[in-house]
Amino acid sequence: MLNLDDLIFFSTIIDAGSLTKAAKLMDVPKSKLSRRLANLESELGYQLLIRTTRKQELTASGLLLYRSCKPHLEALSGIENDIHELNTSPRGRLNILLPSEFFSQVISQIITDFAKIYPDIVVHCSHYSSKLPEENYYYDLIFVLHETDLPSSSWVGKQLLSFPQSIYAGVDYSTEHLHTPEDIQTEKCITSNNNEQWLFRENNKIQLISVNEKVILSSPQMRLEATSQHLGIAKLPDYLCQSGGHLLNVKRLKLSNEPVALQLTVLYQSRSIAFKTRMFLEYFQSNIGSLS
């Protein structure tokens, strides 16, 4: 029977990213953590963690143990938090990873309001600029914007919302000749990545259209501004291009096929999530509808 404390120490070392950070987080000597990790490896008969002066890396056995014990440790922590919640408010650190293009005034307001409602929760938000994030176990929640199915993963995924997208041009941009997705292949386009393909829904199939890059801007707000300045056409979420039901210096192209909608999915490490994490998800879902 494995020692529960050893498993908690081991899990914390992985979540923190190093023995030094884990020792500081748990307020115990680093030597104690190192000794408990060695005891756990000795009891199992396998090396769990490869440590160098620069980084630590899980072995195959370590990854299997972490993925197996983490949901149960979180469930125990969740029970403790739920009991604690009977008399106090939820507390602890909540680590969230968001796509950089999803940083907006609405998202900032949601996070700010949540932090005001639950002052004992320390919300730490980071962002990533790549198309898909790395599954970093440091984070409690990872939000992903995507148009196609996400790759298979050991994480739990929950789809939260669907954002319709359209092709937009500046109000004085000539669009009379643009009727189908194929027509835009010769247009100057404002994209978010190199060699970008725009996806359109054609009945029950997906149509891929390669576009000519005039300007590449990772920020959707910057793509909207470039579109309004007639630098080219862009594929943008509809919510971004409207305010009070009116378009913001752009016009929407009416094509024979519409672009594939943008999906928002949240990833978490197991179905047993901490109380503070569950509270944030519920609050986020209740308020994110203002974007759609």
Side-chain angles (χ1 to χ4, degrees), residues 1-54:
M1 181 70 69
L2 296 177
N3 186 289
L4 179 59
D5 286 342
D6 286 346
L7 293 176
I8 293 174
F9 287 140
F10 170 68
S11 177
T12 304
I13 292 170
I14 305 308
D15 291 338
S18 71
L19 275 170
T20 302
K21 292 179 180 178
K24 184 177 180 180
L25 185 65
M26 302 188 76
D27 194 24
V28 298
K30 180 179 175 182
S31 58
K32 178 178 180 178
L33 281 186
S34 182
R35 185 172 63 254
R36 298 299 290 263
L37 176 62
N39 290 342
L40 182 59
E41 290 179 325
S42 176
E43 187 170 353
L44 287 170
Y46 298 100
Q47 185 176 10
L48 302 174
L49 200 61
I50 300 173
R51 287 185 289 149
T52 67
T53 55
R54 291 187 175 184

Side-chain angles (χ1 to χ4, degrees), residues 112-132:
T112 300
D113 290 345
F114 178 82
K116 289 180 178 178
I117 296 171
Y118 300 102
D120 292 328
I121 297 179
V122 178
V123 183
H124 177 205
C125 283
S126 301
H127 66 86
Y128 61 94
S129 56
S130 57
K131 191 171 183 180
L132 292 175

